Amino acid sequence: MPRLGFRQEYNLSSTMSRSSVLSSLFVMLLLAGCNAAVDTPEALLQQQHERWYRGEDYAVTFVQQTIMHRPDGRTDTTLWYEAGMLGKLRIDFAPIGAGNGMLFRDGKRFILRGGAVVREDSERNPLQLVLMDALVQPVSTTLLELTQLGFDVTQLSEADWNGRPAYVIGNRSDEEMDADSARVMHPQIWVDQSTLHTVRILTPIAGSTSSLLDVHVDAYTPIAGTEHESRLSFYMDNRLFQEEIYTELRFRDPLPESLFDPDAWTPVSPYWE
């Protein structure tokens, strides 16, 4: 597996003075010490949190282009308007006036039609947890919630992802450790070792005991001193079935609590503008 690093050769018989050699070695050791060891999932999540922390009042809005790939080869494209805060994610399906959408909050998922709740389930959105909330809330909270979702947060390994070294949080069988194996059987989070961006999430699918949702985070966009995911690809059984492209990404002042109230769904103003 490739590694990121460098090699410097020294010829101690050259004219370089002993003090210069010692100074160079000191600088090398100092630089090496800047990269804290990552040997547990907790340490990795802590480094991610420190690198990409978005602030305790984090709130974001964006427009999502959703591309569905049908088994017969057809594609359908729709627009979703989204707003997120810690533990909350609102999705409005275009056209807005129809009042159709989805809301995640307090460990529940609400489906809305015509501005009214038509279904309510117990569900924590794993993508929101890994890509949004983990960069805001305490790491201890993230570890607990990941465990509740079925991730083994005691296991950390390494793998190659698109030619780059990555850390992998979660259990991996001997078959999964084989670089030639495309089958993944356990919930996992893959993190680029250099950028500390999450690049892949494998999470259970509600109602399925044999398949995992395989989400690839294909791009990040700079925004307000940090970076936000901006393109995702969704696979199931190695088949691409959905793509998401995020535009008009904006960090906001804390959004009104009423925006995440399923009983008051119709927005008073277009929050995504």
Side-chain angles (χ1 to χ4, degrees):
M1 183 178 66
R3 291 287 187 275
L4 298 180
F6 62 91
R7 181 180 67 183
Q8 178 67 56
E9 296 180 355
Y10 290 97
N11 183 356
L12 298 183
S13 62
S14 68
T15 57
M16 181 183 291
S17 67
R18 179 178 299 177
S19 61
S20 297
V21 172
L22 292 176
S23 297
S24 298
L25 291 174
F26 174 78
V27 171
M28 290 175 64
L29 291 172
L30 182 63
L31 290 173
C34 291
N35 296 321
V38 174
D39 52 8
T40 66
E42 181 177 6
L44 175 57
L45 291 172
Q46 185 63 48
Q47 286 201 24
Q48 272 195 302
H49 191 280
E50 293 172 358
R51 173 81 68 88
W52 300 115
Y53 180 62
R54 295 175 179 175
E56 61 183 11
D57 294 328
Y58 162 78
V60 66
T61 62
F62 55 92
V63 177
Q64 174 179 311
Q65 182 183 13
T66 307
I67 305 169
M68 302 297 297
H69 296 266
R70 307 299 181 185
D72 61 6
R74 292 182 300 112
T75 60
D76 299 322
T77 301
T78 57
L79 288 181
W80 299 2
Y81 300 89
E82 305 198 20
M85 292 176 61
L86 178 61
K88 304 178 182 69
L89 180 65
R90 175 186 177 123
I91 305 172
D92 286 274
F93 304 144
I96 297 296
N100 300 328
M102 189 183 309
L103 175 68
F104 294 91
R105 63 166 300 159
D106 303 327
K108 296 181 179 180
R109 181 188 66 162
F110 301 87
I111 305 296
L112 295 102
R113 295 287 182 269
V117 176
V118 296
R119 181 173 176 177
E120 177 181 338
D121 302 299
S122 294
E123 182 178 331
R124 180 65 159 104
N125 186 324
L127 301 186
Q128 180 190 3
L129 171 59
V130 175
L131 296 174
M132 294 183 177
D133 294 352
L135 304 179
V136 180
Q137 66 188 12
V139 171
S140 58
T141 302
T142 299
L143 288 168
L144 175 62
E145 293 188 320
L146 287 174
T147 300
Q148 294 170 341
L149 289 174
F151 293 87
D152 186 344
V153 296
T154 68
Q155 301 294 320
L156 185 71
S157 57
E158 297 185 6
D160 182 81
W161 183 247
N162 293 332
R164 295 173 61 88
Y167 296 112
V168 182
I169 296 174
N171 186 27
R172 299 175 72 204
S173 65
D174 291 340
E175 180 182 347
E176 290 172 295
M177 294 288 281
D178 184 350
D180 296 326
S181 175
R183 187 184 181 199
V184 180
M185 296 166 283
H186 300 91
Q188 296 169 9
I189 300 168
W190 293 45
V191 178
D192 186 283
Q193 291 189 14
S194 177
T195 65
L196 294 182
H197 278 319
T198 296
V199 293
R200 188 186 192 192
I201 304 169
L202 296 120
T203 183
I205 300 173
S208 175
T209 58
S210 60
S211 297
L212 292 173
L213 180 64
D214 187 357
V215 183
H216 301 181
V217 187
D218 300 318
Y220 283 82
T221 295
I223 173 175
T226 183
E227 294 187 2
H228 199 286
E229 65 278 2
S230 56
R231 187 180 186 109
L232 276 63
S233 300
F234 294 75
Y235 295 80
M236 187 165 59
D237 298 328
N238 295 320
R239 184 184 74 83
L240 174 67
F241 71 90
Q242 180 172 317
E243 295 177 87
E244 297 180 355
I245 302 171
Y246 305 159
T247 59
E248 301 183 43
L249 279 157
R250 296 184 178 92
F251 282 170
R252 306 285 188 171
D253 292 331
L255 294 165
E257 186 68 25
S258 59
L259 194 61
F260 303 94
D261 182 353
D263 295 323
W265 184 249
T266 303
V268 176
S269 60
Y271 60 82
W272 54 89
E273 294 181 352

